[in-house]
Amino acid sequence: MTGANRSTRWGQLIIDALVAAGVELAIVAPGSRSTPLVVAATAHPQIETESLLDERGAAFAALGHAKRTGDPAAVICTSGTAGGNMLPAVIEAHADPTPLVVCTADRPPSLHGTGANQTIEQAGLFAPYVRDRGTTPMPVADAAVVAATATAVAELVAAARGPIAGPVHLNVPLAKPLAPTEPDASSQAQRAAIAHPTGGERPRPADAAVDRSALGRVAAMLRGRRTLIVAGPMAPWQPRRAAIARLARRCGAPLLADPLSGLRCGPHVTETAVIAAYDAVCAAGVAPRPPDVVLRFGATPTSAPLQRYLGGLSVPQVMITASTIGNDPHRVTTDQIVGPPGAVAAALCEQLPPTEPYASAWAEPAAVAAARLREAPVGGAGVVIQQVDAALQADAALVIGSSMPVRELDRYGGVHPRTRVTVGNRGASGIDGLVSTAVGVARSQPTTLVLGDVSLIHDLGGLIGIDRVGVDLTVVCLNDDGGGIFEMLPIAEVDPPYTEYFRTPHGLTFDAAAQQFGLSYERVPPAEFASVFAPPTVGMGGCLVEVPLRAADTHAERDAAEAAIAASLG
């Protein structure tokens, strides 16, 4: 066969344009209509390609990679319902601003509306949740169309990067023949027309301009005032986050650091009043005297007790967020600055003199609370997560489950001078795709994933990615036989339907799953966990540690800690 067919050339054009825009990873799910894209990706020397078996897992793995690195991966799938399976990951990338390029192959326009198999309306499939979207024209040899298409692809990748990062959707209609043919002169001319990066720094969006008048207004509000700083979830790649700790020192402020803020760990904690036990302090009803003003950086804090505390204050509160989405479910904030949180903090530091210390007001009760939490009996999920938190060494990565695990890490996790990456899917707080997200994170470094049993069941197929991608990932499954978080809700008092329709006990263990996916396996009770758990290292591969628990013990553990803290602090 001589000469490349149009679909082959078009696949090369799309991949060339993605690479030229700085995309270095493509994760693909199998399918026929996407053949030209997949063949072009696997043949391109400047893009790494991974293969995962289902679209949902592929999309979450791409999401995990981007949450860890800040660099968008392209996730490629075939036409029809394939793209629909990527919607949960797209929603998470939208809610927790994360760059992601979703590339769906499509049937040609001539087949739409004809009842042709695997043909649906794809152009607006993710419309409410993407920063931008576009459908390429059908493949043609027109040089102007080729250039315009390459430019449109580059613009989509730029939209994914920001200034407010997020998902974008590239829809690519392709007609048969789809199988690859040899490149011809037109293929080479097409490739030569696209500018390729020459190495060095990957393209990054410039920091969005920060409203100087808003900065001045907030700086005036802070001068000479007792300031409380709350750091909610922020992506590990967000630049200059350490400036928030510097601002806390400048203001003499306690820094209430969410476990997903990235500010509980790092060398800054030796000089800054980083508070980790605020959740327990607020839950026990012993929060200190109110501040004069509150600065709230990042997304909404995980801790419901902290949210209630902030919602009950009658002092000025300022949100500093990377996007227009706020962090104030109680609607009590009085001002908002939209801009990179680190850049805003750095700018405020320049405008403020040292301020009266307020840090000790929180540091002292938090120290008492942390001591009581360390004394909790080993029986529930909280102390197991406390042991994981303490065991992870410098430069480790932790992916934490969206339901009970992140809440327990918030309460029981400590402050550490060693650096650590902590990732969670708390943008929309779904429990789907957690294993695959962790596979994406683990492409960068050995990673520990802590999740519940229902979350593991949701993404059991994601375990295949550990060996398939070749990552070092230890999965710690807290198995309390169903939806233990529902025991915290009023519906737990109404049975039926509570047990069958909310708690949903299943009676499953995961030893057979570990064997099926080639993972080493341990099943240990909570009291023995610390002696068995070892953070993953390079070359270790996959491991599943199952910890059987009772949800009642986890909640009793929390209640007992709250009572002890309340008694200690009066």
Side-chain angles (χ1 to χ4, degrees):
M1 183 181 296
T2 60
N5 64 50
R6 287 185 173 182
S7 290
T8 295
R9 288 198 297 268
W10 213 244
Q12 293 167 346
L13 167 67
I14 300 301
I15 298 303
D16 282 350
L18 288 172
V19 171
V23 175
E24 298 180 345
L25 172 67
I27 300 181
V28 304
S32 174
R33 189 60 49 166
S34 53
T35 296
L37 296 166
V38 176
V39 169
T42 57
H44 201 296
Q46 291 177 270
I47 191 167
E48 190 174 355
T49 309
E50 306 279 10
S51 168
L52 291 175
L53 300 188
D54 73 279
E55 292 81 16
R56 185 177 76 163
F60 272 107
L63 177 78
H65 168 80
K67 284 199 173 195
R68 170 64 186 87
T69 65
D71 295 315
V75 57
I76 300 172
C77 75
T78 190
S79 62
T81 62
N85 287 285
M86 298 196 284
L87 180 59
V90 170
I91 291 173
E92 175 63 25
H94 163 75
D96 181 13
T98 306
L100 183 68
V101 180
V102 175
C103 188
T104 54
D106 199 357
R107 302 293 167 120
S110 60
L111 292 181
H112 281 256
T114 67
N117 186 42
Q118 209 171 330
T119 305
I120 67 170
E121 177 51 57
Q122 294 182 192
L125 194 59
F126 311 109
Y129 303 108
V130 290
R131 299 288 182 265
D132 200 359
R133 58 191 173 98
T135 296
T136 60
M138 287 297 293
V140 294
D142 186 293
V145 175
V146 168
T149 301
T151 298
V153 171
E155 289 173 348
L156 278 178
V157 176
R161 292 184 182 278
I164 299 174
V168 296
H169 178 203
L170 176 62
N171 191 52
V172 186
L174 296 164
K176 292 181 178 178
L178 302 168
T181 54
E182 296 176 6
D184 59 12
S186 62
S187 297
Q188 302 304 322
Q190 171 182 283
R191 174 165 288 183
I194 300 174
H196 284 274
T198 57
E201 283 293 313
R202 297 165 179 159
R204 295 277 193 183
D207 278 350
V210 178
D211 185 337
R212 305 304 297 185
S213 64
L215 281 172
R217 187 171 62 249
V218 172
M221 188 186 303
L222 298 178
R223 288 190 184 98
R225 312 289 291 280
R226 296 193 308 268
T227 301
L228 174 66
I229 296 181
V230 177
M234 287 177 277
W237 50 270
Q238 279 280 358
R240 300 202 280 179
R241 281 182 305 170
I244 299 172
R246 191 164 70 251
L247 177 63
R249 293 195 298 273
R250 189 78 172 165
C251 295
L255 173 56
L256 278 54
D258 189 277
L260 297 175
S261 70
L263 291 169
R264 281 199 188 180
C265 301
H268 62 273
V269 306
T270 60
E271 302 173 317
T272 307
V274 178
I275 310 298
Y278 55 80
D279 175 83
V281 170
C282 292
V286 290
R289 59 180 176 145
D292 297 322
V293 62
V294 179
L295 297 183
R296 301 167 63 152
F297 288 89
T300 303
T302 299
S303 169
L306 175 59
Q307 290 182 43
R308 289 193 295 270
Y309 168 77
L310 295 173
L313 294 177
S314 57
V315 303
Q317 300 191 44
V318 182
M319 294 185 291
I320 298 98
T321 56
S323 73
T324 54
I325 299 173
N327 59 17
D328 178 23
H330 291 84
R331 297 183 179 274
V332 294
T333 52
T334 53
D335 209 337
Q336 181 175 13
I337 298 178
V338 176
V344 173
L348 286 173
C349 279
E350 294 173 1
Q351 299 192 29
L352 290 171
T355 307
E356 173 192 354
Y358 172 63
S360 61
W362 276 89
E364 292 168 5
V368 172
R372 299 292 85 78
L373 290 167
R374 286 193 296 270
E375 295 166 0
V378 181
V383 173
V384 174
I385 289 178
Q386 187 180 66
Q387 293 167 345
V388 172
D389 178 65
L392 294 177
Q393 300 302 307
D395 300 318
L398 173 65
V399 178
I400 192 73
S402 305
S403 189
M404 284 302 294
V406 71
R407 289 171 168 83
E408 302 297 0
L409 179 63
D410 196 13
R411 176 162 292 197
Y412 288 89
V415 174
H416 308 291
R418 54 188 183 272
T419 57
R420 186 174 79 203
V421 171
T422 304
V423 172
N425 283 351
R426 286 288 292 180
S429 296
I431 65 170
D432 40 4
L434 284 166
V435 175
S436 298
T437 300
V439 168
V441 173
R443 293 186 77 259
S444 298
Q445 65 200 113
T447 299
T448 299
L449 165 66
V450 182
L451 78 174
D453 50 296
V454 177
S455 297
L456 181 53
I457 291 169
H458 260 266
D459 197 21
L460 201 62
L463 294 173
I464 198 171
I466 299 175
D467 180 65
R468 194 171 181 87
V469 178
V471 296
D472 302 303
L473 177 62
T474 293
V475 179
V476 178
C477 175
L478 306 175
N479 187 351
D480 57 11
D481 193 25
I485 192 171
F486 291 107
E487 292 202 6
M488 300 174 68
L489 302 180
I491 191 62
E493 304 299 322
V494 186
D495 199 6
Y498 170 69
T499 299
E500 184 175 358
Y501 292 97
F502 293 88
R503 185 74 176 81
T504 57
H506 49 74
L508 298 175
T509 60
F510 297 97
D511 47 338
Q515 181 178 3
Q516 175 70 39
F517 292 107
L519 311 177
S520 63
Y521 174 80
E522 296 274 1
R523 180 179 170 88
V524 293
E528 299 175 18
F529 176 80
S531 64
V532 170
F533 174 72
T537 55
V538 174
M540 183 174 172
C543 177
L544 174 58
V545 180
E546 183 174 353
V547 186
L549 298 164
R550 292 192 326 126
D553 291 340
T554 295
H555 297 303
E557 186 177 73
R558 290 168 64 90
D559 293 344
E562 282 179 23
I565 292 164
S568 297
L569 295 174

